[in-house]
Amino acid sequence: MTKRFTIRQLADEFDVTTRTLRFYEERGLLNPTRVNTTRSYSSADRTRLRLILRGRRLGLSLEESSAIVLMYDPTSANTDQLNTLIAKIREKRAQLLQQQNDLELMLLDLNDAEERCLDALSAEPAHQA
């Protein structure tokens, strides 16, 4: 018998809200079965959730993560899926490196502006009261 999970079990395991799981279900990323009003998630749903959350940690949008997760095919080596993920990782890395460079330049500008302000203050004659 396949292991099944309740919404609460998955929410607790992955430290997400039940609302998050219902949102992923609405988007077609998770497909729990229902017994009356109780959701029952499969091991495949659990794996998809883990991959979606990993994509989020990598800075991928939900759409990007979804596209990659939905490419999974258990009957293949998933070469296309892996190549797509590698391309997204490289794209995200390039973005982060650019942001890092921008931040370093901004910090230099802030240091320079602060130094000029301090120089201006020290050059000012003392005001007498």
Side-chain angles (χ1 to χ4, degrees):
M1 181 153 174
T2 305
K3 176 97 169 118
R4 304 297 296 184
F5 305 90
T6 66
I7 194 168
R8 175 55 45 208
Q9 287 172 319
L10 287 183
D12 289 346
E13 179 181 353
F14 291 100
D15 194 27
V16 296
T17 64
T18 55
R19 177 68 193 114
T20 297
L21 296 175
R22 288 190 297 272
F23 175 76
Y24 292 155
E25 180 183 348
E26 290 167 11
R27 300 293 292 259
L29 299 170
L30 301 177
N31 301 300
T33 57
R34 292 180 184 257
V35 177
N36 296 320
T37 60
T38 303
R39 289 170 169 84
S40 178
Y41 294 89
S42 67
S43 294
D45 287 320
R46 184 178 172 276
T47 298
R48 279 192 296 277
L49 176 60
R50 189 178 74 247
L51 294 173
I52 291 164
L53 296 175
R54 181 180 296 154
R56 189 167 69 180
R57 283 192 311 276
L58 292 173
L60 302 179
S61 70
L62 182 57
E63 290 74 22
E64 290 169 327
S65 288
S66 301
I68 292 168
V69 168
L70 294 174
M71 292 174 77
Y72 177 72
D73 176 6
T75 63
S76 74
N78 291 301
T79 304
D80 289 341
Q81 181 191 39
L82 293 172
N83 283 327
T84 301
L85 180 56
I86 290 167
K88 289 294 178 187
I89 288 169
R90 289 176 177 166
E91 181 182 315
K92 182 52 69 175
R93 183 184 296 119
Q95 284 177 337
L96 290 173
L97 288 170
Q98 182 60 54
Q99 288 175 341
Q100 181 181 30
N101 186 51
D102 293 345
L103 287 171
E104 288 170 359
L105 290 173
M106 187 181 294
L107 285 170
L108 289 172
D109 287 343
L110 287 170
N111 290 340
D112 184 55
E114 180 183 35
E115 192 64 38
R116 281 186 272 127
C117 289
L118 290 170
D119 288 346
L121 284 173
S122 66
E124 224 178 73
H127 293 301
Q128 295 180 338

